Amino acid sequence: MERNGKATSDSKESQWVRLQSTDGFSYLVKRKVAEASGTVRNMLDSEAGGYSEALTGVCEITERGIIVEKLVEYMSFKTYYETVNTKDDVPVKEFMERIPPEIVLELLLAADYQEM
């Protein structure tokens, strides 16, 4: 968005945010999905602390691309199924089968840091 000749991105106006990994991968996700992470939600809150992420809509996640990808998958899964009335309707087992065993510990630590 451009205002007065300057490119700006108001957090309330932008529906999309970019999550970037340390190894150069980036994921464009809807703001509602990204805010499933408490850490990202705080980064994007323009009133909380004036973080640059709130202005740019770009959040640097200090994890490898595969980890950020799985975090994004979980945020999407969580956002999609948060309105389900019963736990039986949520295919948790199917989601868990998509996580490679060799990244489970790293993913768990990243999810904890991201407040998910």
Side-chain angles (χ1 to χ4, degrees):
M1 169 175 286
E2 214 172 289
R3 287 186 186 164
N4 301 331
K6 294 182 181 178
T8 62
S9 175
D10 187 1
S11 65
K12 303 294 185 211
E13 295 174 7
S14 177
Q15 274 193 339
W16 298 90
V17 295
R18 182 179 311 276
L19 304 178
Q20 292 185 320
S21 69
T22 56
D23 54 356
F25 291 93
S26 64
Y27 304 88
L28 191 62
V29 297
K30 287 201 173 217
R31 177 179 219 84
K32 180 181 178 184
V33 171
E35 288 180 345
S37 162
T39 304
V40 172
R41 186 179 329 108
N42 290 336
M43 293 166 97
L44 295 173
D45 187 1
S46 61
E47 297 171 8
Y51 296 110
S52 65
E53 291 86 351
L55 297 173
T56 64
V58 177
C59 297
E60 297 279 337
I61 309 293
T62 55
E63 299 292 340
R64 299 182 302 142
I66 185 67
I67 301 301
V68 177
E69 178 180 339
K70 292 302 176 184
L71 291 173
V72 169
E73 279 185 45
Y74 177 72
M75 288 185 278
S76 299
F77 180 86
K78 182 179 177 184
T79 303
Y80 182 79
Y81 286 105
E82 70 186 353
T83 59
V84 173
N85 294 332
T86 63
K87 300 269 185 212
D88 298 333
D89 294 338
V90 181
V92 174
K93 184 175 174 131
E94 291 175 26
F95 178 79
M96 291 174 55
E97 289 173 351
R98 294 194 311 256
I99 301 173
E102 60 272 10
I103 68 165
V104 169
L105 182 59
E106 188 178 358
L107 183 58
L108 180 64
L109 293 170
D112 182 53
Y113 181 78
Q114 291 299 321
E115 300 174 18
M116 290 195 225

